[in-house]
Amino acid sequence: MPKPSDLLQGTLDLLILKTIAREPLHGWAIAKRIQALSGDVLSVGQGSLYPALHRLEQQGWLRAEWKDSDLGRPAKVYSLTREGRKQLERELNSWNRLSSAVQLLIATA
Amino acid sequence: MRFSRVILHRLRSLFRRSRENADLQREIELHFEQLVKESIASGMSESEARIVARRQFGPVAKTKEECLDARRLNLIENFVRDVRYALRMIRAKPSFSVPALLSLALGIGANIAIFSVVNAVLIRPLPYPDPEKLVGVFNSATFSGQVVKAWPLSLDMYTAYKENAQGFEEFGVWSAGAAAVTGAGDPEQVATVTMTHGVFRALEVKPYLGRWFSSTDERSGAQKTVILSYKYWQRRFGGDGRVLGRLVLIDFVPHQVIGVMPRSFEFLSLAPDVFLPQTAASGAPGSQDANQSGVARLKSGVSVAQANQDIARVLSIWKSSNRFWRQAAEELRVKPNIHSLKQDVVGDVAAVLKILMGALAIVLLLVCANVANLVQVRAQARRDEFAIRAALGAGWARIARQVMIESLALAALGGAAGLAFAYAVLRLLIIDGPADLPRVGEISIDSTSIFFALSCSFLSGTLFGWIAVLKSGLSSRLQNARGATQNTEQLRAQNALVVAQVALALVLLVAAGLLVRSFIALSAVRPGFTHPEQIQTIRLFIPEAQIREPERVAQMQVEILHDIAAIPSVTGVAFATALPLELEHKNGVPVAAEGKTPVGRIPPNRTIKQISPGLFAALGTRLIAGRDFTWNDPLSQRRVAIVSENMARENWGEPRDALGKRIRRGTDGPWSVIVGVAENVYDDGVDRQPPEVVYFPGVRRGATFAIRSSRAGTESLLQEIAAKIHAVDPSLPLARVRTLSELYMFTIARRSFALVLLGIAATMAVTLSIIGVYGILAYAVAQRRREISIRLAVGAEPRTIKALFLRQGLILMCIGGGIGFVLARVLSPWMASLLFSVRPFDPLTYGISGSVILAAALAASYVPARKAASLNPIEALRAD
């Protein structure tokens, strides 16, 4: 099994925010969703996912609730706050700038 | 708001720590179970699946820890753990923490105590609404070249100001006095303030019961009224709520109680028992006497300068319309002097308090230097511990935080102990402090003092904590802690601390020394009376309402005098309108000397006293020329007078030449012949120039008796005296029962208060610097054992070794001393107001202070130096 490439520092927040933006999800589903949507290229380790979730919650960008889930047990479901939506906006902008800059560099260098 | 939500969230996390933990556990377990299920679904057995899942998941504990970190929970928990650890370290090492805590408690405590006094007296606003609008209204006047700043107003002036001033919202005048209260209960003398109705209105303090004075209370024919102070109401009437309307006999005249002031009310710096309305109208006899203090509330927007201009205008109109004052006001150069009321209340005590505050700040710095040294020495001893901790994975920031928290915990404990200490000191201060300290009743530890205590603790803790962090070598030398040796940089830092201590201690020593010198100079002054502790004073006032005829009053006074003289152990008795140092009866009356005062000019002011024969003998005042009054003087037609030596010298050169010359009150009184010249009496306090005094025979209704007896101040003597007085008239209250030495102590109270506190500060400073010098040398000896042993082993004389360390101590002391001398020279002019016949640069004081520091430094260096010299090289080297 090929090891998915390490996540670029700082992009994890963006991925989490973007994933939850569509609908509230619990931790397991977030990890699965990221993996699936990236075509199995990106894999988020539990060791970085949960601290990231707690940090984002602490910063007021995520809200967490215990809800019944598709797993058959109550799970901690994360959703975006209004602040979180704004943050996603910011992160997207900066990501776009960064990736286009990298593209440019690769194309011209 | 986002910020508040974050805060809320964090607080919730903190308080629900255990639930958060459980939630986290559940969340992670769920994830783990899913991993297991996934593996089972792909065909593994359950146990296999669990192993795979565990491998996939990675270290659970670390993840959990990181989640908690993300919630900032660990930060707080670490802090709590650090504090707990710090407290344990403080408890475990008493040899370090007891001296550190003790010096912190003393240093911080002394600062809190003095700060509380400064706060109550100087910083806190006066306890009236809008106190910044309140002003004291006085005039300044020039008497024979001397400017009197707070010259009181006359009732005539009051009327003029009241009618014409435009800057005052409310304005009134008052004067303090005393009166006898008789009737039910024992007769007693009470302190009074007689005021116009504008005074309470200006202060804006509503009565607790009843009403303020109004202008109808001031009419001469009206029912006499009185307002009680809360204290007097409680004492005399037991706090009776139906006191309003009752009649009280004040100076044998019934007064109706119309009000009671609230408990918290203070009348400026006085504590009168009762308030009386001013009933003497302007234009009446005596209404030209300048004896009224003014107080006013400025209209909003009016500045003190504008008020002064306004009153200057009123004063010039008034001068031109008043026959008596037209000339006097010109000659005396009378100008309005309106200033903030606080200045009146606080007076010149501000200088004393500022000096003390400065001295105590120096002590606190010394304490910090000492504790920093202790902490530093300890931090070095703990290098091994730090190295092990670093090896186990603690970051240097984590260790530094630990050291800092230890220092702050130490400072906080010291500050708490200091607060308790300050509380005790303040209790003593309020009971035993100088009674003339204004607003003494307001002194307390309030929120400002507590904030000050907290800042003191925090700042000193940060100061020496930072030194400890820097000196523990955390940042650079954690790795090679085993091989750490004394390096020059550390040594220099410690030396600098000791030099600073010596310098500051010298400054305080000089300050205390200057005060001691002032005291010696003061006690060398011959005050114009002898053995004041043997002179019992009692004031009697015989009011007109009781005895109408002045002749009968004089007769009663003489009767009492003879009766008291008959008491065994009484060797002298006499009476006067005012005894020496009785400042409350101070007066100033123009006295002309025949042929000396130019005709048509207002003569210079003199203090006038009316005395009975025998006063000089009873007080121990020497007669320099001529004779004392006799009982026959009033009978003969010749008017006689006695003058003080300085008055005689000023006018006639030699005391002897004054005899037979004539003087008179004012410009048109009858002439009196001088029959005697008395020694100067320091009537305004021994630290002031003795005033020129003129004595006349005969006495008024109020007189203070001076009774010389070896039993002065004893209860038995007082009872005998009271019995004699009450045999003549049982309703006479006895007031001002004290000895002359109490009065004498009172006049130097402020200085002795400052001396005691400065003395304590200086003693603390010298002790701290001795400990400092000793500590650093002892430490240096311990550090250099090896070097000393080798030197001794290769043949160095123990004497040379001893000299080496003594020299080090002396060098430190000399540098510190030099800096201290410079500092003291710069700072000592600040205390000029406290000094008496000593210059701020008194060489003797500087010399003695320097010697004391030198001796202290020698003693402190000798012990470690001897220890170094007596090292046994073989043992010392083997121990390494």
Side-chain angles (χ1 to χ4, degrees), chain A residues 1 27-28 31-32 46-47 49-51 53-55 57-61 66 69 71 73-76 78 81 83, chain B residues 2 5-6 9-10 13 23-24 26-31 33-35 37-38 56-58 63 66-67 70-72:
Chain A
M1 203 163 84
W28 171 257
K32 284 285 143 196
Q46 298 76 14
L49 174 66
Y50 284 100
L53 284 172
H54 282 265
R55 194 181 63 246
E57 187 190 349
Q58 187 71 20
Q59 272 160 336
W61 295 329
W66 286 88
S69 70
L71 306 176
R73 287 205 257 165
K76 197 175 176 190
Y78 294 91
T81 61
E83 278 299 323
Chain B
R2 180 182 160 229
R5 197 169 61 225
V6 170
H9 187 91
R10 285 194 186 165
S13 316
D23 276 1
L24 186 61
R26 272 168 74 198
E27 189 178 20
I28 282 171
E29 256 168 29
L30 189 66
H31 194 111
E33 289 303 318
Q34 286 313 115
L35 282 176
K37 272 188 201 163
E38 213 174 41
Q56 260 187 326
F57 198 94
T63 307
E66 277 173 17
C67 287
R71 310 196 81 102
R72 315 269 169 182

Side-chain angles (χ1 to χ4, degrees), chain B residues 363-588:
Chain B
V363 169
L364 188 59
L365 278 180
L366 278 170
V367 166
C368 281
N370 244 16
V371 177
N373 246 342
L374 280 169
V375 167
Q376 175 186 341
V377 167
R378 206 165 96 87
Q380 276 170 353
R382 279 171 72 187
R383 285 185 162 199
D384 286 352
E385 179 202 327
F386 292 148
I388 292 167
R389 289 224 229 159
L392 289 177
W396 80 269
R398 181 79 183 69
I399 299 178
R401 197 171 68 198
Q402 167 73 56
V403 172
M404 201 67 191
I405 284 176
E406 260 182 65
S407 301
L408 286 175
L410 202 60
L413 284 180
L419 205 57
F421 173 64
Y423 184 74
V425 167
L426 283 180
R427 294 294 297 263
L428 274 181
L429 198 69
I430 294 169
I431 298 165
D432 282 341
D436 63 338
L437 188 65
R439 308 179 75 184
V440 73
E442 289 177 56
I443 295 173
S444 64
I445 293 185
D446 64 355
S447 52
T448 324
S449 308
I450 288 175
F451 177 74
F452 176 81
L454 280 177
S455 342
C456 264
S457 305
F458 183 74
L459 283 179
S460 48
T462 317
L463 188 69
F464 61 72
W466 198 238
I467 294 173
V469 167
L470 290 179
K471 289 300 147 194
S472 55
L474 280 172
S475 44
S476 57
R477 276 183 306 278
L478 275 180
Q479 287 76 20
N480 60 358
R482 283 294 301 163
T485 47
Q486 172 93 344
N487 72 354
T488 44
E489 190 205 336
Q490 279 165 351
L491 203 63
R492 208 178 305 143
Q494 284 181 328
N495 285 347
L497 283 176
V498 169
V499 165
Q501 284 188 334
V502 171
L504 294 177
L506 188 68
V507 172
L508 288 182
L509 259 186
V510 166
L514 286 173
L515 267 186
V516 169
R517 289 265 289 151
S518 300
F519 259 91
I520 294 172
L522 274 179
S523 37
V525 170
R526 202 191 131 84
F529 44 84
T530 55
H531 298 292
E533 70 283 355
Q534 291 179 4
I535 299 174
Q536 178 75 52
T537 79
I538 288 175
R539 189 159 180 89
L540 287 181
F541 184 83
I542 303 171
E544 201 176 347
Q546 192 188 16
I547 309 286
R548 185 177 297 269
E549 311 80 13
E551 299 77 27
R552 173 72 192 127
V553 170
Q555 210 179 327
M556 279 170 70
Q557 285 170 339
V558 174
E559 249 174 76
I560 290 170
L561 186 136
H562 285 309
D563 288 352
I564 291 175
I567 296 174
S569 87
V570 170
T571 52
V573 55
F575 53 86
T577 44
L579 290 184
L581 303 174
E582 278 196 311
L583 298 179
E584 59 270 36
H585 300 296
K586 190 174 156 51
N587 62 10

